[in-house]
Amino acid sequence: GDSVTQTEGQVALSEEDFLTIHCNYSASGYPTLFWYVQYPGEGPQLLFRASRDKEKGSSRGFEATYDKGTTSFHLRKASVQESDSAVYYCALSDITGYQNFYFGKGTSLTVIP
Amino acid sequence: NSKVIQTPRYLVKGQGQKAKMRCIPEKGHPVVFWYQQNKNNEFKFLINFQNQEVLQQIDMTEKRFSAECPSNSPCSLEIQSSEAGDSALYLCASSPPGLGGSQNTLYFGAGTRLSVL
């Protein structure tokens, strides 16, 4: 079945560090890929999505590129801030009739000022 | 700010008690999902609806959980007899109509945090 794998469970960085969170997926065809962010006490918020090979999604300085060849959608940010501390989820949806969604286990990012 | 409204934000119940939570999906979104998010941040799909009809649900939902999305009323998720293992964040999400592309996106509410004592 479809699945999403996030390599990093926890990441600790200093402000202005470069961030990479790895996401690999397993699915047939061209699923839609997502990054969500969840702050404490809130529900997940959509960061961005991508639906086609080589499509880049971006928001708030974060970006990721859909790569069907390596089945990856890695999240990157050039310079993190303390306010970026949150849990980040990679997800995919296939387009079989009922909109099935699959979430990674999340990566907890802590940015130290 | 999320346009999916979930109430209450917090719910405390004793074991064996009923627990009911509600969700108003984003306007114009006919598809509604319920997820259970555990303390390890894992998402567990419970049930989804398109308009008032159930599309999919897991076995657990069929036994102690019930859910509905009546016309012109909030959607609801009810646990008939709460157990300690039900303590979690319950997330409601809605999705625009259609399949494929930008329509395949979940928009989440803030969640209802259930504590079963």
Side-chain angles (χ1 to χ4, degrees):
Chain A
D2 295 357
S3 66
V4 175
T5 301
Q6 288 180 237
T7 309
E8 299 87 357
Q10 294 186 339
V11 174
L13 297 172
S14 299
E15 280 194 323
E16 300 184 8
D17 280 353
F18 189 93
L19 169 71
T20 300
I21 299 176
H22 295 93
C23 172
N24 288 91
Y25 70 90
S26 174
S28 57
Y30 284 87
T32 300
L33 303 176
F34 307 84
W35 277 102
Y36 284 88
V37 57
Q38 186 173 23
Y39 299 99
E42 299 181 13
Q45 302 172 17
L46 177 68
L47 261 182
F48 52 79
R49 60 181 170 252
S51 301
R52 301 180 305 276
D53 192 22
K54 308 306 180 193
E55 180 179 357
K56 178 190 279 190
S58 64
S59 175
R60 309 183 212 173
F62 293 90
E63 62 178 38
T65 300
Y66 193 131
D67 190 331
K68 184 166 175 62
T70 58
T71 60
S72 66
F73 194 55
H74 305 318
L75 181 68
R76 294 185 168 92
K77 186 175 185 182
S79 176
V80 294
Q81 303 301 312
E82 186 180 6
S83 58
D84 294 326
S85 297
V87 181
Y88 293 81
Y89 298 93
C90 184
L92 74 82
S93 81
D94 61 31
I95 55 172
T96 57
Y98 296 141
Q99 295 189 12
N100 295 308
F101 290 84
Y102 301 87
F103 291 85
K105 293 188 175 181
T107 299
S108 178
L109 171 65
T110 301
V111 180
I112 305 162
Chain B
N1 288 334
S2 174
K3 297 177 183 178
V4 177
I5 308 301
Q6 288 190 250
T7 56
R9 290 296 307 275
Y10 301 94
L11 196 53
V12 180
K13 294 293 178 182
Q15 294 198 50
Q17 290 187 322
K18 286 186 182 179
K20 187 170 186 175
M21 54 203 84
R22 292 175 175 81
C23 170
I24 300 175
E26 188 168 334
K27 189 175 182 179
H29 287 191
V31 182
V32 174
F33 286 70
W34 286 98
Y35 285 91
Q36 180 193 65
Q37 188 179 33
N38 66 23
K39 61 181 180 180
N40 295 320
N41 292 328
E42 294 166 331
F43 290 77
K44 183 174 188 176
F45 168 79
L46 296 176
I47 192 169
N48 60 355
F49 294 83
Q50 180 156 335
N51 296 314
Q52 293 78 52
E53 302 298 319
V54 175
L55 295 175
Q56 295 170 295
Q57 61 184 334
I58 64 169
D59 287 345
M60 181 180 77
T61 311
E62 293 173 2
K63 292 174 182 174
R64 292 189 299 113
F65 289 60
S66 62
E68 61 177 3
C69 270
S71 176
N72 299 319
S73 292
C75 299
S76 64
L77 176 68
E78 184 171 52
I79 306 172
Q80 302 302 321
S81 178
S82 301
E83 299 175 356
D86 298 330
S87 296
L89 181 67
Y90 289 82
L91 292 166
C92 176
S94 67
S95 183
L99 292 175
S102 62
Q103 287 76 26
N104 273 31
T105 302
L106 291 177
Y107 296 89
F108 287 89
T112 292
R113 184 162 296 282
L114 172 65
S115 297
V116 182
L117 305 178

